C-alpha cells in the first residue's frame, strides 16, 4: 500500500484472495485477482461478481424540503421520486458542466431524507458544495459504512439466500434489510449493465458479509479492471474521463436523466445552456465506436473523419471481452454521430478504421 492510499474495510480480504492492489482515488483497491481481468469480466456476465466500492462517498441529506433544495444543485427530478426510489443525476456548475454524477435515493414520501452516493475522487468537494449551498439541511456523511456491489445474472439468487426478500426489489429501488442484527441499505442498481445490487453495510460487518457471499458457488471477487470493461461495454460514463466540468449532460447523451418538469422549470446551475442544447444547440456529442482489427484506442486518441481532419478525441477505450474486439467512446460534432458513420482513431500516429455505433455496446440486462 502506498503511503497516501487508504485501505477499505476489505483490504485484508483482497490480499488474502491474491488481489493485485493499486492506488485509486486515494484508496488502495484490487485491479484484479489471479484469474485475470477477462475471466472476471466473463464471470460477472455469466454468474455474479462481487466488487468492493467502499471508496465511494455515502451521505444522508436530512431536513424539511431536502428534495426541493437538492434540485437547486442538479437537473434531476428528486421531488417526483416515490419513496425508496433512486434517481441518477449530476451536480452542474453555472456553465452547465458536470461537477460529479451521483445516485439519489428518496427515503421518505415527504422528501425530507435523502441518501446520496457520489464518486470517490469528488466526494470531498461534493460534500463541501452541498454544505455551503444548503446550510439549513443536515449532511450526515456515512464514513462508518462500506459499500459492496454484487452484479450479474445470478446475483439475486445468491444474495436472497442470506437476505430473504431482496430478490423482490425493483430496478432502481432501495430497501432496508437486517443481517446479523445490522441494517443494510440495499438497492437494485449497479455499474455493469447487468442485474445486480449495491449493499451499504456497517464497515465492521463488511468483511463477514463479503466472505458469506463469496462462499456461494455463483460468486467470485472482481476488481477494478473488469469493472471498467463492464461499464464501458454498457456505455456508461466514468467521471473525470467521459464527463467532467467541460461537458454538459446533454453532450454526454444523458438527456434521459432530466425530466420534462426540470427542463421546463430550470432552476439548477447551467440551466440556460442545458435547455439550449436540448433544442438542437449541441456542438459535440458522446458516441460509441467499434474498431476494426484488434488494436485498442485508449483515452486521448484523436478521432478523424474520412479526410483525415481531427474532429474529436477518445475519452475511454479498451478491448471488449464480450464482443472480442476493441471499443471506445468519445466526443464528435453531431454530423459525425449517426450510427454507421466511418471514422478513424489515431493510435501511435496510425489511423485505425472504426465506425459509430449506438450505446450500449452489449445489451443491458437490468431487472425490469
Amino acid at each position: 500500500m502506498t503511503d497516501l492510499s487508504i485501505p477499505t474495510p476489505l483490504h485484508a480480504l483482497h490480499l488474502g484472495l491474491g488481489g493485485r492492489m493499486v492506488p485509486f482515488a486515494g484508496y488502495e483497491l484490487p485491479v484484479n485477482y489471479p484469474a485475470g481481468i477477462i475471466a472476471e469480466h466473463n464471470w460477472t456476465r455469466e454468474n455474479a461478481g462481487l466488487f468492493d466500492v467502499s471508496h465511494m462517498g455515502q451521505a444522508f441529506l436530512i431536513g424539511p424540503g431536502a428534495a426541493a433544495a437538492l434540485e437547486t444543485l442538479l437537473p434531476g427530478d428528486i421531488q417526483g421520486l416515490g419513496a425508496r426510489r433512486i434517481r441518477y443525476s449530476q451536480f452542474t456548475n453555472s456553465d452547465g458542466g458536470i461537477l460529479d454524477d451521483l445516485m439519489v435515493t428518496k427515503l421518505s414520501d415527504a422528501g425530507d431524507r435523502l441518501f446520496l452516493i457520489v464518486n470517490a475522487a469528488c466526494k470531498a468537494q461534493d460534500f463541501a458544495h452541498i454544505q455551503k449551498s444548503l446550510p439549513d439541511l443536515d449532511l450526515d456523511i456515512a464514513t462508518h459504512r462500506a459499500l459492496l456491489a454484487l452484479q450479474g445474472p445470478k446475483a439475486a439468487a445468491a444474495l436472497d439466500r442470506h437476505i430473504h426478500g431482496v430478490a423482490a426489489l425493483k430496478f432502481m429501488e432501495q430497501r432496508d434489510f437486517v443481517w446479523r442484527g445490522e441494517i443494510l441499505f440495499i438497492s437494485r442498481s449497479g455499474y455493469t449493465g447487468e442485474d445486480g445490487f449495491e449493499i451499504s453495510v456497517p464497515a465492521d460487518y463488511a468483511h463477514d458479509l463479503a466472505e458469506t457471499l463469496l462462499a456461494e458457488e455463483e460468486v467470485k471477487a472482481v476488481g477494478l479492471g473488469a469493472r471498467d470493461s463492464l461499464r464501458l461495454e454498457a456505455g456508461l460514463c466514468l467521471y473525470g474521463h467521459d464527463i467532467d466540468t467541460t461537458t454538459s449532460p446533454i453532450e454526454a447523451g444523458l438527456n434521459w436523466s432530466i425530466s420534462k418538469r426540470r427542463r421546463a422549470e430550470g432552476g439548477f446551475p447551467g440551466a440556460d445552456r442545458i435547455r439550449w442544447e436540448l433544442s438542437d444547440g449541441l456542438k459535440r456529442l458522446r458516441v460509441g465506436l467499434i474498431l476494426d482489427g484488434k488494436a485498442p484506442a485508449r483515452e486521448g486518441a484523436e478521432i478523424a473523419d474520412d479526410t483525415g481532419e481531427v474532429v474529436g478525441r477518445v475519452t475511454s477505450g479498451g478491448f471488449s471481452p464480450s464482443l472480442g474486439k476493441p471499443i471506445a467512446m468519445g466526443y464528435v460534432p453531431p454530423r459525425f454521430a449517426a450510427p454507421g458513420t466511418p471514422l478513424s482513431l489515431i493510435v501511435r500516429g496510425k489511423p485505425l478504421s472504426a465506425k459509430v455505433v449506438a450505446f450500449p455496446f452489449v445489451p443491458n440486462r437490468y431487472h425490469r
Side-chain angles (χ1 to χ4, degrees):
M1 183 173 65
T2 66
D3 292 340
L4 298 179
S5 298
I6 302 170
T8 73
L10 296 183
H11 186 260
L13 178 68
H14 299 316
L15 295 180
L17 293 172
R20 182 163 67 92
M21 309 301 285
V22 297
F24 182 81
Y27 291 79
E28 188 178 44
L29 291 165
V31 68
N32 63 273
Y33 300 91
I37 292 173
I38 292 179
E40 292 171 19
H41 176 111
N42 292 334
W43 183 268
T44 304
R45 287 275 186 241
E46 298 167 4
N47 297 281
L50 183 67
F51 302 78
D52 180 7
V53 288
S54 301
H55 57 301
M56 304 288 281
Q58 303 179 67
F60 297 89
L61 187 63
I62 304 167
L70 188 62
E71 285 187 357
T72 66
L73 304 184
L74 48 74
D77 182 356
I78 309 304
Q79 294 185 77
L81 280 172
R84 299 290 174 165
R85 299 296 297 176
I86 305 167
R87 183 83 72 211
Y88 167 80
S89 193
Q90 314 84 32
F91 288 124
T92 50
N93 61 25
S94 59
D95 296 324
I98 300 173
L99 298 170
D100 194 14
D101 58 343
L102 72 158
M103 301 286 269
V104 182
T105 304
K106 188 178 179 185
L107 297 177
S108 65
D109 286 322
D112 57 357
R113 187 175 175 86
L114 309 174
F115 180 51
L116 315 179
I117 298 181
V118 303
N119 284 301
C122 303
K123 62 184 178 183
Q125 68 187 42
D126 288 347
F127 294 152
H129 178 51
I130 293 170
Q131 289 171 323
K132 180 180 179 181
S133 303
L134 308 176
D136 295 333
L137 298 177
D138 178 32
L139 183 69
D140 180 10
I141 302 172
T143 55
H144 61 292
R145 301 191 73 86
L147 190 65
L148 309 181
L150 186 65
Q151 301 282 295
K154 298 181 181 179
L159 186 58
D160 199 72
R161 289 188 199 113
H162 299 279
I163 305 172
H164 184 66
V166 75
L169 280 174
K170 299 176 182 177
F171 180 58
M172 297 295 273
E173 180 184 23
Q174 183 270 337
R175 296 284 175 184
D176 297 350
F177 294 85
V178 176
W179 183 76
R180 296 187 182 177
E182 293 294 324
I183 296 177
L184 310 184
F185 312 135
I186 302 181
S187 65
R188 198 159 199 163
S189 58
Y191 194 50
T192 62
E194 294 289 341
D195 183 23
F197 304 84
E198 292 196 334
I199 309 162
S200 175
V201 55
D204 291 344
Y205 286 76
H207 190 282
D208 286 349
L209 178 60
E211 284 197 325
T212 297
L213 294 174
L214 289 170
E216 297 299 321
E217 63 179 2
E218 304 99 326
V219 182
K220 289 185 178 181
V222 180
L224 292 172
R227 180 174 167 86
D228 191 55
S229 59
L230 288 159
R231 73 90 194 169
L232 180 57
E233 289 185 348
L236 301 175
C237 295
L238 175 61
Y239 190 81
H241 301 262
D242 309 299
I243 52 176
D244 56 29
T245 56
T246 70
T247 55
S248 77
I250 312 310
E251 289 178 327
L254 303 175
N255 312 37
W256 53 267
S257 68
I258 308 176
S259 70
K260 290 183 179 179
R261 177 179 70 83
R262 298 310 317 276
R263 297 181 190 196
E265 295 178 1
F268 53 87
D272 288 344
R273 172 188 173 183
I274 289 171
R275 291 195 290 183
W276 177 73
E277 289 179 343
L278 283 165
S279 301
D280 298 323
L282 279 173
K283 294 182 179 179
R284 59 177 182 166
L285 187 64
R286 182 174 63 97
V287 297
L289 299 154
I290 289 185
L291 287 77
D292 295 335
K294 294 295 183 180
R298 304 295 183 181
E299 179 180 359
E302 295 178 328
I303 303 173
D305 65 12
D306 56 6
T307 70
E309 180 182 355
V310 174
V311 297
R313 192 172 299 274
V314 170
T315 55
S316 286
F319 183 79
S320 165
S322 300
L323 299 178
K325 58 184 65 177
I327 59 176
M329 61 175 73
Y331 286 83
V332 297
R335 66 182 183 277
F336 298 108
T341 302
L343 292 168
S344 295
L345 307 186
I346 312 302
V347 177
R348 298 188 182 91
K350 297 181 179 180
L352 303 180
S353 297
K355 67 177 179 180
V356 176
V357 296
F359 292 122
F361 295 98
V362 174
N364 292 330
R365 297 194 292 183
Y366 302 125
H367 178 73
R368 301 294 187 183

